[in-house]
Amino acid sequence: MTIPDAVSLTQALIRFDTVNPPGFERDCAHHLGVMLEEAGFANSYYEFADGRTTLVSCLPGRDESLLPLAMTGHLDTVPFGHQPWTRAPLAGEIADGKLYGRGASDMKSGVAVAVASAVAAAQQPESLRRGLMLILTAGEETGCEGSRYVAEIEGALGKASALLVAEPTSNLPAIGHRGALWLRGETAGVTAHGSMPEKGVNAVYKASRAIAKLEQFGFNEKRDELLGSPSLNVGTVRGGLNINSVPDYAEFTIDIRSIERKSHEKILSQLKSYLNDEGVGLNAEVDLDPVKTDFNHPFVQCVNAVVAQEIQIVPRPMTLPFFTDASILAAALCAPTVILGPGETALAHQTDEYCFVDKIPEAVMLYEKIIDSWCR
């Protein structure tokens, strides 16, 4: 089979509309599945909802006692946003050395790199001591639903020797990222006519007092040398049905980024106590652990050696502010994790998102060298 050109494949993937919601990653997953199957991979498809497809594609190595190298990327993208784009977001247009489109950096370029390097490795399967496993997921952007669903199916994944995540890092290896705890806060009131507010209880006022208080919330956690400090952001607020009624319900969402594994229960307890006087109910909607691999782990050192050799940059310990599917998959696979992809971290979710074209073949080369070093 011909090895796909990763730049052209990135353009093709951008043209699949996988904006989440609704996502509908099925067509994109099957497009890649055909490519991998022709190269000798065995495919399994898993849907956590109609059209929300995750692809797990495996190529065995010749030594069955050795665990495979897993590579992962997500197929969904975030919405375009309210600001107008100067380039069509689903066109995959190239101009001035940049490949534009929603998902160009986050992370259809990374998916294309993982697939192209896997197909290249499959050209000589007899030389692979370790096998390869690709996990191309649905629903990452809204809480890693696809990876969580697959991880909970017995026998769907198994274990891996290492996990390579193709999220945007400008081809510099990262060894972890913060976790995420997304909460929904709710307040209840008593409705009344807007001309007689004293006869009601305004749920919006209760929510606003709680939100103002959250701006001063302190986590009382020691800063992590790599992951930094935890953070809290109120992202959305909704309340009321009409202008001339006292609202009896309001809600708001809280995005917490965490630095300690298994600390989310403690954070939720702290917040409930902190907001107790405001009458706020809090419920967790996304709960994802942070990820951090020892910089001295052999797989990390393998990746670092390839990067230093091929692009003459000596990697230093680095982590990312956003979560990835590694929050689920690193634990499910029992695998040390490195995040490395051609996209630009700062351009994720931006209007006029792009990836530098030359970063894509560079990433393919790095992935091929990593596979050579770790698997052959």
Side-chain angles (χ1 to χ4, degrees):
M1 177 189 174
T2 302
I3 300 170
D5 172 68
V7 173
S8 298
L9 182 55
T10 301
Q11 292 176 293
L13 297 181
I14 287 172
R15 291 165 189 152
F16 285 95
D17 184 353
T18 55
V19 170
N20 181 14
F24 204 80
E25 298 90 343
R26 179 188 289 159
D27 290 346
C28 189
H30 281 271
H31 177 79
L32 294 167
V34 168
M35 198 175 298
L36 289 162
E37 187 173 5
E38 290 178 353
F41 284 76
N43 294 333
S44 298
Y45 298 93
Y46 302 92
E47 293 196 349
F48 70 84
D50 185 38
R52 308 304 308 277
T53 308
T54 292
L55 166 63
V56 178
S57 190
C58 298
L59 182 74
R62 70 173 190 271
D63 188 342
E64 294 183 359
S65 69
L66 296 177
L67 295 174
L69 169 64
M71 299 186 287
T72 190
H74 62 85
L75 305 179
D76 61 321
T77 63
V78 297
F80 303 146
H82 293 293
Q83 296 300 317
W85 287 54
T86 62
R87 313 278 180 175
L90 294 178
E93 179 182 348
I94 293 176
D96 300 322
K98 300 171 183 177
L99 198 166
Y100 288 88
R102 178 53 86 214
S105 271
D106 185 19
M107 58 168 298
K108 288 181 173 177
S109 58
V111 170
V113 164
V115 171
S117 62
V119 171
Q123 302 297 300
Q124 296 179 304
E126 69 285 348
S127 69
L128 289 172
R129 293 179 65 241
R130 296 184 190 275
L132 296 174
M133 177 193 309
L134 271 72
I135 308 166
L136 306 178
T137 65
E140 187 269 353
E141 293 287 4
T142 48
C144 301
E145 294 105 318
S147 57
R148 188 183 299 277
Y149 180 74
V150 171
E152 292 174 351
I153 298 174
E154 186 175 354
L157 294 179
K159 305 304 179 186
S161 62
L163 175 64
L164 193 55
V165 184
E167 289 272 11
T169 68
S170 194
N171 289 340
L172 297 177
I175 56 173
H177 58 71
R178 293 191 295 174
L181 177 63
W182 291 355
L183 305 175
R184 184 171 301 277
E186 298 177 309
T187 57
V190 176
T191 191
H193 197 285
S195 67
M196 298 174 283
E198 71 279 2
K199 295 186 179 297
V201 177
N202 193 311
V204 169
Y205 290 162
K206 293 171 72 173
S208 66
R209 288 193 294 269
I211 291 167
K213 196 171 181 180
L214 283 172
E215 191 174 6
Q216 307 304 319
F217 179 74
F219 287 89
N220 195 29
E221 288 189 30
K222 184 179 178 181
R223 177 183 174 84
D224 185 274
E225 184 178 345
L226 284 176
L227 297 174
S229 299
S231 64
L232 181 152
N233 179 64
V234 175
T236 63
V237 183
R238 293 193 302 172
L241 294 175
N242 58 319
I243 192 170
N244 59 336
S245 293
V246 175
D248 62 358
Y249 175 81
E251 65 177 38
F252 54 95
T253 54
I254 307 170
D255 179 358
I256 294 167
R257 301 304 166 115
S258 62
I259 60 172
E260 292 184 6
R261 292 183 64 84
K262 307 304 179 187
S263 68
H264 292 175
E265 185 176 340
K266 180 178 72 175
I267 293 172
L268 182 55
S269 177
Q270 287 175 332
L271 282 171
K272 285 181 176 179
S273 176
Y274 185 71
L275 297 178
N276 181 61
D277 293 343
E278 309 304 334
V280 177
L282 290 175
N283 294 289
E285 300 201 333
V286 168
D287 188 344
L288 298 168
D289 278 334
V291 172
K292 187 167 68 171
T293 300
D294 185 346
F295 189 69
N296 294 313
H297 189 280
F299 181 65
V300 176
Q301 292 303 305
C302 167
V303 173
N304 289 348
V306 168
V307 170
Q309 174 68 33
E310 301 301 330
I311 62 175
Q312 285 74 58
I313 295 176
V314 178
R316 297 180 179 181
M318 180 179 83
T319 61
L320 300 170
F322 51 77
F323 66 78
T324 77
D325 278 316
S327 290
I328 303 295
L329 296 178
L333 298 167
C334 298
T337 299
V338 172
I339 307 155
L340 186 153
E344 300 297 312
T345 300
L347 291 173
H349 303 189
Q350 293 281 339
T351 301
D352 284 337
E353 178 184 352
Y354 63 82
C355 178
F356 290 108
V357 173
D358 61 1
K359 290 289 185 181
I360 298 174
E362 180 180 85
V364 173
M365 179 266 295
L366 292 174
Y367 268 54
E368 289 179 349
K369 296 291 186 180
I370 291 166
I371 292 169
D372 282 342
S373 180
W374 190 250
C375 298
R376 297 194 190 279

